[in-house]
């Protein structure tokens, strides 16, 4: 089978500008930035929102608007038979020594979860009813059917 040519069309000036703008933004990002991606929903208090990892709507936490530097709406994500809005949330940097310590501890735990989860959080995989998550020795996960006891 003959492969098609790998030549691509030349980029437009707008495309080149968009790529350069993205590269510039990456270079300007401060180290230790705290960015979350997950599901969001309104909070009872109108001065913040509720956040949970994608697919895990049993563990919502409140994020006050005063702690959020920016937020960008994402696509709806399925979650146990329904959908939630997703968002990328950039948190403001910690302003006290205690907050800095908690941020470092959270980042440490998150990196450990990613290590065990093969690059994704264990809570990212949602199984159907009568199923559970199985993780192989390489960190890959899949859903398997529950086996009823006693036949």
């Amino acid at each position: 089978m003959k492969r098609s040519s790998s030549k691509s069309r030349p980029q437009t000036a707008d495309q080149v500008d968009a790529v350069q703008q993205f590269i510039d933004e990456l270079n300007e990002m401060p180290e230790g930035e705290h960015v979350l991606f997950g599901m969001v929903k309104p909070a009872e208090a109108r001065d913040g929102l509720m956040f949970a990892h994608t697919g895990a709507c049993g563990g919502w936490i409140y994020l006050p608007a005063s702690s959020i530097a920016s937020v960008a709406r994402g696509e709806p994500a399925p979650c146990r038979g329904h959908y939630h809005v997703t968002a990328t949330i950039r948190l403001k940097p910690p302003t006290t020594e205690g907050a800095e310590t908690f941020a470092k501890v959270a980042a440490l735990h998150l990196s450990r979860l990613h290590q065990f989860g093969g690059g994704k959080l264990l809570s990212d995989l949602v199984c159907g009813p009568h199923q559970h998550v199985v993780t192989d020795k390489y960190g890959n996960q899949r859903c398997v059917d529950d086996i009823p006891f006693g036949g």
Side-chain angles (χ1 to χ4, degrees):
M1 177 178 257
K2 190 174 183 180
R3 287 190 146 166
S4 63
S5 171
S6 62
K7 293 180 185 177
S8 61
R9 293 185 213 163
Q11 290 183 323
T12 66
D14 288 341
Q15 290 170 323
V16 171
D17 289 345
V19 170
Q20 189 57 52
Q21 180 181 356
F22 180 75
I23 292 169
D24 292 345
E25 288 173 8
L26 285 176
N27 288 322
E28 293 171 9
M29 283 183 146
E31 283 189 38
E33 204 172 56
H34 304 284
V35 179
L36 304 171
F37 176 79
M39 303 183 307
V40 293
K41 68 178 185 178
E44 285 185 28
R46 296 187 60 94
D47 63 345
L49 54 85
M50 301 300 289
F51 172 85
H53 288 294
T54 304
C57 66
W60 294 93
I61 62 167
Y62 174 74
L63 295 176
S66 61
S67 68
I68 299 171
S70 67
V71 62
R73 184 185 180 119
E75 296 296 318
C79 181
R80 299 182 182 152
H82 59 278
Y83 288 84
H84 290 285
V85 172
T86 61
T88 301
I89 300 170
R90 182 168 279 112
L91 298 175
K92 291 180 180 176
T95 57
T96 67
E97 186 176 343
E100 177 88 21
T101 300
F102 277 108
K104 287 178 180 177
V105 170
L108 179 67
H109 283 284
L110 184 61
S111 67
R112 190 70 169 162
L113 283 173
H114 278 279
Q115 182 181 23
F116 283 123
K120 62 186 257 181
L121 290 175
L122 300 179
S123 63
D124 285 349
L125 185 61
V126 177
C127 297
H130 309 293
Q131 291 185 318
H132 62 278
V133 177
V134 173
T135 305
D136 67 19
K137 65 182 180 181
Y138 303 106
N140 299 314
Q141 295 181 321
R142 61 188 170 89
C143 295
V144 297
D145 293 332
D146 293 334
I147 300 171
F149 291 104

